[in-house]
Amino acid sequence: MAALQKSEAIRHIQLSYDNTDSQKSALQLILALRPEWKATQETITFVKFTDGITNQLFKAINKLPGLSEKQVDREAVLLRAYGKGTDVLIDREREALAHSLLARHDLAPSLLARFENGLLYKYVEGSVCSPADLRRPEVWRGVAKRLGEWHATLPISAISSEPTPSLSNGHPTKPRNRRTASLEAIEKLIPGKPVPNLWTVMQKWILALPSTSQAEKTRCDTLQTELEWLVQTFGNAAGLDAKPFVFAHCDLLSGNVIIHPSSSASSSRSSTSTCSDESDASVEVSFIDYEYATPAPAAFDLANHFAEWGGFDCDFNVLPTRSQRRDFLKAYLASYNSHTNRSFDSSESERLFEEVDRFRGVPGFYWGIWALIQAQISQIDFDYANYAEIRLGEFWAWKAEVEGKREKEGSELPLRERRWAQEE
């Protein structure tokens, strides 16, 4: 495929963050970015955030005498150090492209610099959501509006390329190796689609899984078969507004949603406001961390966010019911419409609702594969292996329901499927 456009000229600091000497290496990076802080480095402190399970994130602040907390925060810098080995999961060049585009659209903080194993960017003022926050009506309405804006306005061309003619016409060039052959096979299943995309990302992840033992080989083969089934099932879906892919965040967990300061339950961007009474009130939010942003069906991004209502604990009891999902999608579509100058009739709204419903098992497959890789490479204290089993279990339960296998066997409806089918 044609190469992705280069990210904008962003300063590169030739230093690395070292987890074994965190304070010293972080301070060196901040002083390289802000040399004017050298004279007052004794007042520089780092606040570590613990919400993520891919990277390490710090807030660097310089508590100069006489400055208020708000003034200190305005000059704060976020330092995000990539998790060890995560390049196998994440295209860091694509992440920088995504961040730059979002900043141009005033949807992301300014990207200040890249360093050898991470990014430095402007601090986003506000409060980080918890899973419980995502379930508050004024917050999920804010999320719905912001996500509608993302999907309506951001071009996927910034983070993807058209496939090469040799792939799109069904006659690929001779593959160099098994991995290239598998990637080309997936691209052939979705001819003419921009790459990378949700499906090719998952293919890349499956190819990165260990396959030394027979059990590992069997698992890889199983996951490969399921991915091909998913692509055949969803690869040619029409998508929202006849767009098979949107610029999707793909990781809208609670820790990546920031509630703006002084954001009352009745505030929102005027361009997206459809509030007529307090029952439609929303707070204003922003999204952070764009490393998984990639072209994907809108229904996947929505279903993935709904799954995050349960947090890392995967509490299926609190996932959005059918009525909650309808209300969320109503706010989402109102925002989408306001940014595209078009309206949706009830049948189109219902079609999106049903498509999100069909995608409900795909996030489990996506994050299940991801967690299997993280279990091999991550230094973060998190039980990735158990998380992989839970998320893949979501996929298997959904597929059994879709194929009627569970009903045929007379098994009880699993909790997640039961909650998803619940009306109120």
Side-chain angles (χ1 to χ4, degrees), residues 223 314 316 360-361 363-369 385-401 414-417:
L223 293 173
C314 300
F316 302 147
R360 70 185 183 274
F365 188 77
Y366 179 89
W367 292 113
I369 302 168
N386 183 60
Y387 187 72
E389 293 309 310
I390 293 172
R391 298 310 304 265
L392 287 171
E394 296 173 15
F395 169 76
W396 294 120
W398 163 75
K399 189 179 182 187
E401 200 61 26
L415 174 59
R416 187 177 192 271
E417 288 295 305

Side-chain angles (χ1 to χ4, degrees), residues 39 89 96 128 149 158 175 183-184 188 219-220 229 233 248 269 273 281 308 312 319 375 407:
L89 290 163
V128 179
E149 181 179 4
L183 287 168
E184 290 180 346
K188 283 174 65 182
R219 181 177 62 189
C220 287
W229 176 80
T233 303
R269 278 191 177 186
S273 178
E308 296 297 344
F312 291 136
L319 297 184
E407 191 174 12

